């Protein structure tokens, strides 16, 4: 049975899972498991953004795209830095979205450089969410 928890507890859970996914992505990158590292980096970024939205705007959209989530953060929380990150990292964020879907539905392989970039990008998003969450 799944139990519903309060919003602040949900934020804590999402933030914790985001950190764990990023930690696991780093471990899988080191071990040469690039496909898993890419998927986990995307999950870390997605969960961190959803936690930030829940904390600062009171909702979590049922979407998965990182650029879309950053757009929600920029608009709902009036944080233009989110839009800047989305524009600056447009191509890598699109590729990270691909990792989300391909891990489930397609036999796609990712290379080391991609896993490194994904982990780097996820770390940047988690750092941004942490800073933004402190001010919300």
């Amino acid at each position: 049975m799944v139990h519903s928890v309060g919003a602040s507890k949900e934020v804590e859970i999402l933030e914790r899972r985001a950190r764990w996914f990023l930690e696991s992505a780093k471990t899988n990158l080191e071990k040469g498991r690039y496909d898993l590292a890419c998927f986990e980096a995307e999950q870390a970024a997605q969960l961190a953004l959803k936690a930030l939205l829940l904390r600062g705007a009171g909702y979590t959209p049922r979407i998965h795209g990182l650029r879309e989530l950053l757009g929600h953060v920029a608009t709902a929380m009036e944080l233009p830095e989110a839009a800047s990150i989305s524009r600056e990292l447009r191509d890598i964020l699109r590729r990270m979205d691909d990792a989300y879907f391909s891990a489930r539905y397609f036999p796609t392989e990712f290379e080391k450089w991609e896993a490194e970039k994904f982990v780097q990008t996820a770390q940047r998003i988690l750092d941004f969410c942490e800073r933004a969450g402190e001010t919300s």
Side-chain angles (χ1 to χ4, degrees), residues 1-36:
M1 175 192 279
V2 176
H3 296 281
S4 181
V5 294
S8 65
K9 184 67 174 173
E10 287 179 19
V11 169
E12 289 176 29
I13 292 168
L14 290 171
E15 289 173 340
R16 182 177 62 236
R17 287 180 184 168
R19 287 190 305 273
W20 287 351
F21 268 117
L22 183 57
E23 181 181 311
S24 185
K26 289 175 180 179
T27 298
N28 279 315
L29 173 59
E30 290 171 11
K31 293 184 179 215
R33 299 177 191 146
Y34 305 132
D35 299 351
L36 279 174

Coordinates of all heavy atoms in Angstrom, one line a residue, residues 1-36:
M1 N 0.8 -1.2 0.0 CA 0.0 0.0 0.0 C 0.9 1.2 0.0 O 1.9 1.3 0.7 CB -0.9 0.0 1.2 CG -1.7 1.3 1.3 SD -2.5 1.5 2.9 CE -3.9 0.5 2.7
V2 N 0.5 2.2 -0.8 CA 1.3 3.5 -0.9 C 0.6 4.5 0.0 O -0.6 4.6 0.0 CB 1.3 4.0 -2.3 CG1 2.0 5.3 -2.4 CG2 2.0 3.0 -3.2
H3 N 1.4 5.1 0.9 CA 0.8 6.1 1.8 C 1.1 7.5 1.2 O 2.2 7.8 0.8 CB 1.4 6.0 3.2 CG 1.1 4.7 3.8 ND1 -0.1 4.4 4.4 CD2 1.8 3.5 3.9 CE1 -0.1 3.2 4.9 NE2 1.0 2.6 4.6
S4 N 0.2 8.4 1.3 CA 0.4 9.8 0.9 C 1.1 10.5 2.1 O 0.8 10.2 3.2 CB -1.0 10.4 0.6 OG -0.8 11.8 0.2
V5 N 2.0 11.3 1.8 CA 2.7 12.1 2.8 C 2.5 13.6 2.5 O 2.0 14.0 1.4 CB 4.2 11.8 2.8 CG1 4.4 10.3 3.2 CG2 4.8 12.1 1.4
G6 N 2.8 14.4 3.5 CA 2.6 15.8 3.3 C 3.6 16.4 2.3 O 4.6 15.8 2.0
A7 N 3.3 17.6 1.9 CA 4.2 18.2 0.8 C 5.6 18.4 1.3 O 6.5 18.1 0.5 CB 3.6 19.6 0.4
S8 N 5.9 18.8 2.5 CA 7.3 18.9 2.9 C 8.0 17.6 3.0 O 9.2 17.5 2.7 CB 7.4 19.6 4.3 OG 6.8 18.8 5.3
K9 N 7.3 16.6 3.4 CA 7.9 15.2 3.4 C 8.1 14.8 1.9 O 9.2 14.2 1.6 CB 7.0 14.2 4.1 CG 7.6 12.8 4.2 CD 8.8 12.8 5.1 CE 9.2 11.4 5.4 NZ 10.5 11.3 6.1
E10 N 7.2 15.1 1.0 CA 7.4 14.7 -0.4 C 8.6 15.4 -1.0 O 9.4 14.8 -1.7 CB 6.2 15.1 -1.2 CG 5.0 14.2 -1.0 CD 3.8 14.6 -1.8 OE1 3.9 15.3 -2.8 OE2 2.7 14.1 -1.4
V11 N 8.8 16.7 -0.6 CA 10.0 17.4 -1.1 C 11.3 16.7 -0.6 O 12.2 16.5 -1.3 CB 10.0 18.9 -0.6 CG1 11.3 19.6 -0.8 CG2 8.8 19.6 -1.3
E12 N 11.3 16.3 0.7 CA 12.5 15.7 1.3 C 12.7 14.4 0.5 O 13.9 14.0 0.2 CB 12.2 15.3 2.7 CG 12.3 16.5 3.7 CD 11.9 16.1 5.1 OE1 12.2 14.9 5.5 OE2 11.4 16.9 5.8
I13 N 11.7 13.6 0.2 CA 11.9 12.3 -0.5 C 12.4 12.6 -1.9 O 13.4 11.9 -2.3 CB 10.5 11.6 -0.5 CG1 10.1 11.1 0.9 CG2 10.6 10.4 -1.5 CD1 8.7 10.6 1.0
L14 N 11.9 13.5 -2.6 CA 12.3 13.8 -4.0 C 13.8 14.3 -4.0 O 14.6 13.9 -4.8 CB 11.4 14.8 -4.6 CG 10.0 14.4 -5.0 CD1 9.2 15.5 -5.4 CD2 10.0 13.3 -6.1
E15 N 14.1 15.2 -3.0 CA 15.5 15.7 -2.9 C 16.5 14.5 -2.6 O 17.5 14.5 -3.2 CB 15.6 16.8 -1.9 CG 14.9 18.1 -2.3 CD 14.8 19.1 -1.2 OE1 14.9 18.8 0.0 OE2 14.7 20.3 -1.6
R16 N 16.1 13.7 -1.7 CA 16.9 12.5 -1.3 C 17.1 11.6 -2.5 O 18.3 11.2 -2.8 CB 16.3 11.8 -0.1 CG 17.2 10.6 0.4 CD 16.6 9.9 1.6 NE 15.3 9.4 1.3 CZ 14.2 9.6 2.0 NH1 14.2 10.5 3.0 NH2 13.1 9.0 1.7
R17 N 16.1 11.3 -3.2 CA 16.2 10.4 -4.4 C 17.0 11.1 -5.4 O 17.8 10.4 -6.1 CB 14.8 10.1 -4.9 CG 14.0 9.1 -4.0 CD 12.7 8.8 -4.6 NE 12.0 7.9 -3.7 CZ 10.7 7.7 -3.8 NH1 10.0 8.2 -4.8 NH2 10.1 6.9 -2.9
A18 N 16.9 12.4 -5.6 CA 17.7 13.1 -6.6 C 19.2 12.9 -6.3 O 20.0 12.6 -7.1 CB 17.3 14.5 -6.7
R19 N 19.5 13.1 -5.0 CA 20.9 13.0 -4.6 C 21.4 11.5 -4.8 O 22.5 11.3 -5.2 CB 21.1 13.4 -3.1 CG 21.0 14.9 -2.9 CD 21.4 15.3 -1.5 NE 20.7 14.6 -0.4 CZ 19.5 15.0 0.1 NH1 18.9 16.1 -0.4 NH2 18.9 14.3 1.0
W20 N 20.6 10.5 -4.4 CA 21.0 9.1 -4.6 C 21.1 8.8 -6.0 O 22.1 8.0 -6.4 CB 19.9 8.2 -3.9 CG 19.9 8.2 -2.4 CD1 20.8 8.8 -1.6 CD2 18.9 7.6 -1.6 NE1 20.5 8.6 -0.3 CE2 19.3 7.9 -0.3 CE3 17.8 6.9 -1.8 CZ2 18.6 7.4 0.8 CZ3 17.0 6.5 -0.8 CH2 17.4 6.7 0.6
F21 N 20.3 9.2 -6.9 CA 20.4 9.0 -8.3 C 21.7 9.6 -8.9 O 22.4 8.9 -9.6 CB 19.2 9.5 -9.2 CG 18.1 8.5 -9.4 CD1 16.9 8.8 -8.9 CD2 18.3 7.4 -10.1 CE1 15.8 7.9 -9.1 CE2 17.3 6.4 -10.3 CZ 16.1 6.7 -9.8
L22 N 22.1 10.8 -8.4 CA 23.3 11.4 -8.9 C 24.5 10.6 -8.4 O 25.5 10.4 -9.1 CB 23.4 12.9 -8.5 CG 24.6 13.6 -9.0 CD1 24.7 13.6 -10.5 CD2 24.6 15.1 -8.5
E23 N 24.5 10.2 -7.1 CA 25.5 9.4 -6.5 C 25.7 8.1 -7.3 O 26.8 7.7 -7.6 CB 25.2 9.1 -5.1 CG 26.3 8.4 -4.3 CD 25.8 8.1 -2.9 OE1 25.4 9.1 -2.2 OE2 25.9 6.9 -2.4
S24 N 24.6 7.5 -7.6 CA 24.7 6.2 -8.4 C 25.2 6.4 -9.8 O 25.9 5.6 -10.3 CB 23.3 5.6 -8.4 OG 23.3 4.3 -9.0
A25 N 24.8 7.6 -10.4 CA 25.2 7.9 -11.7 C 26.8 8.0 -11.7 O 27.4 7.6 -12.7 CB 24.6 9.2 -12.2
K26 N 27.3 8.7 -10.7 CA 28.7 8.9 -10.6 C 29.4 7.5 -10.5 O 30.5 7.3 -11.1 CB 29.1 9.8 -9.5 CG 28.7 11.2 -9.7 CD 28.9 12.1 -8.5 CE 28.6 13.6 -8.8 NZ 28.8 14.4 -7.6
T27 N 28.9 6.7 -9.7 CA 29.5 5.3 -9.5 C 29.4 4.5 -10.8 O 30.4 3.9 -11.2 CB 28.7 4.6 -8.4 OG1 28.8 5.3 -7.2 CG2 29.2 3.1 -8.2
N28 N 28.3 4.6 -11.5 CA 28.2 3.8 -12.7 C 29.1 4.4 -13.8 O 29.6 3.7 -14.7 CB 26.7 3.8 -13.2 CG 26.0 2.7 -12.5 OD1 26.5 1.6 -12.3 ND2 24.8 3.0 -12.0
L29 N 29.3 5.7 -13.8 CA 30.2 6.3 -14.7 C 31.6 5.8 -14.5 O 32.3 5.4 -15.4 CB 30.2 7.9 -14.6 CG 31.2 8.7 -15.4 CD1 31.1 8.4 -16.8 CD2 31.1 10.1 -15.0
E30 N 32.0 5.7 -13.2 CA 33.4 5.2 -12.9 C 33.5 3.8 -13.3 O 34.6 3.3 -13.7 CB 33.6 5.3 -11.4 CG 33.8 6.8 -10.9 CD 33.8 6.8 -9.4 OE1 33.9 5.8 -8.7 OE2 33.7 8.0 -8.8
K31 N 32.4 3.0 -13.2 CA 32.5 1.6 -13.6 C 32.3 1.3 -15.0 O 32.2 0.1 -15.4 CB 31.5 0.8 -12.7 CG 31.8 0.8 -11.2 CD 30.9 0.0 -10.4 CE 31.3 0.0 -9.0 NZ 31.1 -1.2 -8.3
G32 N 32.1 2.3 -15.8 CA 31.9 2.1 -17.3 C 30.5 1.7 -17.7 O 30.3 1.3 -18.8
R33 N 29.6 1.9 -16.8 CA 28.2 1.6 -17.1 C 27.5 2.9 -17.6 O 26.7 3.5 -16.9 CB 27.5 1.1 -15.9 CG 28.1 -0.2 -15.3 CD 27.4 -0.6 -14.1 NE 28.1 -1.7 -13.4 CZ 28.2 -1.9 -12.1 NH1 27.6 -1.0 -11.3 NH2 28.9 -2.9 -11.6
Y34 N 27.8 3.3 -18.8 CA 27.5 4.6 -19.3 C 26.0 4.8 -19.5 O 25.4 5.8 -19.2 CB 28.2 4.9 -20.5 CG 29.7 4.8 -20.4 CD1 30.5 4.1 -21.3 CD2 30.4 5.4 -19.3 CE1 31.9 4.0 -21.1 CE2 31.7 5.3 -19.1 CZ 32.5 4.6 -20.0 OH 33.8 4.5 -19.8
D35 N 25.3 3.7 -19.9 CA 23.9 3.8 -20.1 C 23.1 4.1 -18.8 O 22.3 4.9 -18.8 CB 23.3 2.5 -20.8 CG 23.9 2.2 -22.1 OD1 24.6 3.0 -22.7 OD2 23.7 1.1 -22.6
L36 N 23.5 3.3 -17.8 CA 22.9 3.6 -16.5 C 23.2 4.9 -15.9 O 22.4 5.6 -15.3 CB 23.3 2.5 -15.5 CG 22.6 1.1 -15.6 CD1 23.3 0.1 -14.6 CD2 21.2 1.3 -15.3

